[in-house]
Amino acid sequence: MGEDLERTHSFLVEGGSVEPQPVAAVEGRDAAGTCTVKPLVVGEKVLVLEVRMTAGFRLPEHSHADMESAMYVISGAMEWVVEGVRCVARAGDAAYHPADVPHTTRCLEDALFIEIKSPPRKVW
């Protein structure tokens, strides 16, 4: 299958064609700082996001009903507190939190990461 044919199917999302969307709140909780997301893939059972945060971005404690998340840090450093356990993830690290579990997020250094959620949120 040639490259042109592959690009005509919905199986490929060209990241440059997806506009970053600002995040001001998550689950009704106001965020502090700057964060954008690109919803790259919205499937039947998975959502893939490219997330960029500036140092100092914070999300207060919140949870996602019936939605688990996995994150892979490409650059920068993030802090997550999940069920009272603090972890710091840097480039090359991954983190996870189960559905319905309270957690907080704080960006320690400007960061870029991929977040995968399941089941997906159909509207961002």
Side-chain angles (χ1 to χ4, degrees):
M1 188 177 333
E3 183 179 335
D4 291 341
L5 181 58
E6 290 176 25
R7 290 180 179 274
T8 64
H9 295 290
S10 62
F11 303 118
L12 172 69
V13 176
E14 293 175 326
S17 68
V18 180
E19 289 295 318
Q21 301 173 26
V23 174
V26 173
E27 303 297 344
R29 307 295 308 263
D30 289 340
T34 303
C35 174
T36 61
V37 298
K38 282 186 180 184
L40 297 175
V41 175
V42 182
E44 290 298 315
K45 297 182 181 179
V46 68
L47 170 65
V48 178
L49 303 168
E50 176 189 284
V51 183
R52 292 181 186 272
M53 294 180 178
T54 58
F57 177 84
R58 291 176 182 263
L59 281 173
E61 186 172 90
H62 64 284
S63 63
H64 308 282
D66 302 321
M67 181 188 296
E68 62 184 345
S69 294
M71 291 75 69
Y72 176 77
V73 181
I74 297 168
S75 63
M78 303 293 304
E79 175 189 70
W80 287 284
V81 179
V82 181
E83 291 188 318
V85 177
R86 178 183 178 266
C87 62
V88 174
R90 299 185 184 283
D93 294 341
Y96 165 81
H97 68 73
D100 299 313
V101 172
H103 58 281
T104 63
T105 302
R106 181 169 65 113
C107 186
L108 304 174
E109 300 170 4
D110 289 357
L112 170 63
F113 62 97
I114 299 299
E115 185 166 13
I116 301 164
K117 295 181 173 289
S118 182
R121 179 175 284 157
K122 293 298 183 182
V123 177
W124 193 258

